[in-house]
């Protein structure tokens, strides 16, 4: 448990920016990107965020659009 307590105090620089562990979920904040693969195999980024997005690894609150016939589609 001492490791889990210390994780949120550490961060490191990665190509996308500073990576850190969320104290509530023990997952990293991420920079989502959507890319298209070109015919030469290279990725062309077509959408990306400008700041890290907090983790939601358990998806306990699905979007309203995720519900069908009264049951969540997970």
């Amino acid at each position: 448990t001492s490791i889990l307590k210390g994780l949120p105090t550490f961060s490191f620089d990665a190509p996308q920016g500073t990576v850190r562990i969320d104290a509530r979920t023990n997952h990293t904040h991420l920079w989502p990107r959507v890319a298209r693969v070109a015919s030469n195999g290279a990725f062309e980024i077509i959408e990306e965020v400008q700041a890290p997005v907090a983790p939601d690894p358990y998806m306990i609150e699905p979007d309203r659009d995720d519900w069908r016939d009264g049951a969540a589609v997970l």
Side-chain angles (χ1 to χ4, degrees):
T1 60
S2 61
I3 291 175
L4 290 177
K5 288 180 182 179
L7 279 177
T9 66
F10 293 100
S11 63
F12 63 93
D13 292 327
Q16 69 271 25
T18 303
V19 173
R20 67 181 183 87
I21 303 293
D22 181 74
R24 187 174 60 84
T25 65
N26 296 322
H27 289 260
T28 60
H29 291 233
L30 299 174
W31 288 259
R33 293 181 176 99
V34 176
R36 180 180 301 139
V37 180
S39 60
N40 66 357
F43 290 98
E44 173 193 354
I45 296 173
I46 56 176
E47 294 286 338
E48 64 184 310
V49 298
Q50 298 303 311
V53 175
D56 184 13
Y58 310 112
M59 296 176 59
I60 58 174
E61 295 182 32
D63 290 338
R64 191 178 318 206
D65 295 338
D66 292 339
W67 291 82
R68 180 177 33 190
D69 299 325
V73 178
L74 299 176

